[in-house]
Amino acid sequence: MIDFSKLGGGQTYDTALPPREIFQALPKISQQKYQYPRDVQSQVWQKWFDIRNTENLVIKMNTGGGKTIVGLLTLKSCLNEKIAPAVYVVPDNYLVEQVINEADEIGIKTTKDETCPSFLSGKSILVINIHKLVNGRSKFGVGDDGIKINIGSIIIDDAHACINTVEDQFTIKINNGSEAYKELMTLFTPSLKKTKF
């Protein structure tokens, strides 16, 4: 007699929670490249999974250690746990394409459009550059106009480069010989004299 209860009873990449189990269930396109996870990836996933309810976690990995896959599977785990929507942030557009291509190779759904229904419903990961997240007209909670998107899970890849980009975006450089510089110095000199650095 055939036991049909065993069919379809295993974890799928849309139901498993531990990232390593998701990896094993993925509909991988590139079988040779992603046949099995690296040891360091499995270790990072396990450590993250054990403390995943802690806010503001920092994961440090060496270059070439497979951090993109680690980030994608971590966010996929969050989506499977219904902590959505999920956002993967990188410093520039080149890296946006790189992350999307890697996600495609392993069968994880992504989008670059923050209004995409599959992103908003927690079915795909939004991949954006830091400029889209942090700017004066961000869809993610700046200002009073329009609908804001509350992020459930976020990975910021190469946080140092992203911080430098944000600092550049919000820094104004004015020549000390210009009228604007003189006006600003007149305005802020009393406060600067009171402040101890």
Side-chain angles (χ1 to χ4, degrees):
M1 177 171 256
I2 299 173
D3 182 3
F4 289 105
S5 66
K6 305 259 184 203
L7 292 176
Q11 293 283 343
T12 70
Y13 76 103
D14 281 329
T15 60
L17 294 182
R20 192 174 197 292
E21 289 180 23
I22 297 169
F23 183 93
Q24 299 297 350
L26 282 171
K28 298 172 211 56
I29 295 169
S30 181
Q31 288 293 334
Q32 282 185 322
K33 188 174 178 184
Y34 301 106
Q35 205 166 24
Y36 53 87
R38 299 177 188 164
D39 289 341
V40 68
Q41 291 171 320
S42 292
Q43 291 167 5
V44 170
W45 284 327
Q46 188 58 53
K47 286 182 180 180
W48 169 81
F49 191 75
D50 291 343
I51 59 170
R52 70 188 183 280
N53 293 322
T54 306
E55 288 188 14
N56 304 321
L57 292 173
V58 175
I59 299 172
K60 293 182 181 182
M61 293 181 69
N62 292 330
T63 301
K67 65 180 178 179
T68 303
I69 295 297
V70 167
L72 287 167
L73 272 287
T74 299
L75 287 175
K76 181 62 177 151
S77 176
C78 293
L79 290 180
N80 289 357
E81 203 164 1
K82 308 294 185 221
I83 306 169
V87 181
Y88 194 113
V89 182
V90 293
D92 56 48
N93 286 335
Y94 170 77
L95 292 172
V96 167
E97 296 304 324
Q98 187 176 334
V99 171
I100 289 172
N101 290 339
E102 207 152 335
D104 287 345
E105 286 184 348
I106 60 174
I108 290 183
K109 297 173 189 156
T110 60
T111 182
K112 293 188 279 187
D113 178 8
E114 71 276 2
T115 64
C116 176
S118 69
F119 160 66
L120 295 171
S121 65
K123 304 273 189 261
S124 66
I125 297 169
L126 176 67
V127 183
I128 58 173
N129 66 40
I130 191 67
H131 297 279
K132 193 157 199 168
L133 178 67
V134 182
N135 67 69
R137 300 180 61 139
S138 177
K139 301 272 190 215
F140 303 100
V142 177
D144 296 328
D145 58 324
I147 297 170
K148 302 302 175 196
I149 300 167
N150 292 318
I151 298 171
S153 306
I154 187 167
I155 295 277
I156 300 178
D157 192 341
D158 198 350
H160 289 27
C162 288
I163 288 170
N164 290 339
T165 299
V166 171
E167 285 178 354
D168 287 345
Q169 277 183 234
F170 290 94
T171 300
I172 298 173
K173 295 178 183 174
I174 301 173
N175 186 313
N176 66 359
S178 71
E179 276 304 309
Y181 181 87
K182 291 174 189 170
E183 289 177 31
L184 288 171
M185 283 303 291
T186 302
L187 180 65
F188 290 112
T189 295
S191 296
L192 291 171
K193 285 182 178 177
K194 292 178 188 175
T195 304
K196 295 180 182 177
F197 291 98

